[in-house]
Amino acid sequence: MLLEGIETLLVLAEEGTMSRTGSRLYISQSAVSKRIAKLETTLGTKLIIPAGRLIKLTPDAHALIKNVGPSFNEIRGLIFEHQNLDDQTIITLDCSETLVAGYLASALGDYFQRDKYISITTHHTPVIVENVQSGQASIGFCAGHLPANYNFIAEHLIDEPFKVIFNQPLTVLPKAIVVNDLKNPSNISQAAVLQKHGITPLMEMDSYTASAQLALAGMAPALVPKSIVKTLAIDDNFCFEFEELAELIRPINLIYRQNSYKSPRVKTLIETIADAVATAV
């Protein structure tokens, strides 16, 4: 019961509302409230404060999450490793949205005809890493730099290059550019490269597709990975490469817990994804 309450608090911290937490845990909103109330009673401290439609965490809740969260996720991951994956067990593949669109749509469409017990979720890389470490995802397919310390297998597939997109000719390196969230740990290395060449991040978007569309509309040049250029079928006339930005790449990795690979179904899905990326390149 204690672990159940901690799990609920961790999800609530991410989702911000009782209803979204309930949806993610497949329980009712009232069940979420009861779990948190039981956890508060057990610990003898207040953990949440209503704030309109949202839930605000107390300092005690933040301290608990900081101290217990990593260990809880590791325990959950270890339990996951002992799960027996039969032919109808759902295998969760957590992906970067751009990678699903750029590399996997066709391959997974075919794969799903052979194994329908596959669930695909999309998140940014830090969340994908957390989900694989905790066992909430069997496989992660992510873009960008991984954290320095992790306890899973990371299979590096490719280094994906970027292109500068704009609807007007670019003969010199632009001084300002639309980028994706540089506060995201997986993107943070881009900031140093841009700074070195005197390029100002004009806007930080949450979607490369949005960045590309703004650039094509003439708002400002945008830094966009090759997979998005391919997915959106952006004409070569609007794609530009500069030698100064050649070091700007984003690593593409498959990540999974070591014991997960022992499952023939997981192994086959991992190999299918790796083949799809190799073929696309």
Side-chain angles (χ1 to χ4, degrees), residues 88-138:
Q88 295 186 1
T89 301
I90 298 295
I91 295 177
T92 300
L93 171 63
D94 201 6
C95 307
S96 163
E97 181 182 2
T98 59
L99 299 185
V100 174
Y103 294 106
L104 294 190
S106 178
L108 289 183
D110 294 337
Y111 189 88
F112 193 69
Q113 302 308 310
R114 294 180 282 120
D115 187 345
K116 296 186 180 298
Y117 297 96
I118 304 293
S119 175
I120 302 173
T121 57
T122 57
H123 292 103
H124 294 309
T125 293
V127 177
I128 295 173
V129 167
E130 179 182 323
N131 287 344
V132 170
Q133 290 190 137
S134 67
Q136 295 181 78
S138 305

Side-chain angles (χ1 to χ4, degrees), residues 28-256:
S28 67
Q29 185 172 333
S30 63
V32 173
S33 182
K34 288 177 181 178
R35 286 186 181 185
I36 296 298
K38 288 180 180 179
L39 183 61
E40 289 179 329
T41 300
T42 301
L43 299 177
T45 187
K46 193 70 175 173
L47 297 174
I48 62 172
I49 302 171
R53 292 181 59 253
L54 301 177
I55 295 297
K56 182 179 179 180
L57 301 183
T58 66
D60 285 342
H62 285 294
L64 179 65
I65 290 170
K66 180 180 179 180
N67 292 328
V68 176
S71 298
F72 177 82
N73 284 332
E74 178 58 21
I75 291 171
R76 186 163 52 184
L78 291 172
I79 293 172
F80 166 78
E81 287 191 350
H82 291 281
Q83 179 183 6
N84 182 27
L85 295 179
D86 59 32
D87 290 344
Q88 295 186 1
T89 301
I90 298 295
I91 295 177
T92 300
L93 171 63
D94 201 6
C95 307
S96 163
E97 181 182 2
T98 59
L99 299 185
V100 174
Y103 294 106
L104 294 190
S106 178
L108 289 183
D110 294 337
Y111 189 88
F112 193 69
Q113 302 308 310
R114 294 180 282 120
D115 187 345
K116 296 186 180 298
Y117 297 96
I118 304 293
S119 175
I120 302 173
T121 57
T122 57
H123 292 103
H124 294 309
T125 293
V127 177
I128 295 173
V129 167
E130 179 182 323
N131 287 344
V132 170
Q133 290 190 137
S134 67
Q136 295 181 78
S138 305
I139 305 169
F141 184 40
C142 52
H145 294 275
L146 298 174
N149 299 308
Y150 52 80
N151 56 357
F152 49 74
I153 303 299
E155 183 177 338
H156 178 254
L157 301 181
I158 59 169
D159 286 326
E160 185 177 49
F162 283 84
K163 293 182 182 293
V164 177
I165 306 301
F166 201 39
N167 71 342
Q168 303 169 29
L170 290 176
T171 56
V172 297
L173 200 63
K175 293 298 183 182
I177 200 166
V178 177
V179 298
N180 253 39
D181 184 10
L182 296 180
K183 295 180 289 294
N184 183 324
S186 61
N187 295 337
I188 199 166
S189 63
Q190 297 177 18
V193 176
L194 296 177
Q195 184 179 27
K196 181 171 69 174
H197 295 292
I199 301 174
T200 301
L202 185 62
M203 290 178 279
E204 296 186 33
M205 308 297 293
D206 193 49
S207 163
Y208 280 118
T209 299
S211 298
Q213 297 291 14
L214 288 174
L216 293 173
M219 177 169 282
L223 192 65
V224 178
K226 180 181 177 181
S227 57
I228 290 299
V229 173
K230 175 185 174 184
T231 301
L232 298 179
I234 299 175
D235 192 280
D236 288 343
N237 291 326
F238 305 134
C239 301
F240 305 92
E241 297 181 6
F242 296 94
E243 185 177 347
E244 297 93 329
L245 301 183
E247 63 184 302
L248 271 179
I249 53 93
R250 62 174 193 165
I252 307 299
N253 294 287
L254 271 169
I255 62 175
Y256 46 89

Side-chain angles (χ1 to χ4, degrees), residues 11-23:
V11 175
L12 181 59
E14 294 177 0
E15 298 295 340
T17 70
M18 294 284 191
S19 59
R20 289 203 296 263
T21 300
S23 297

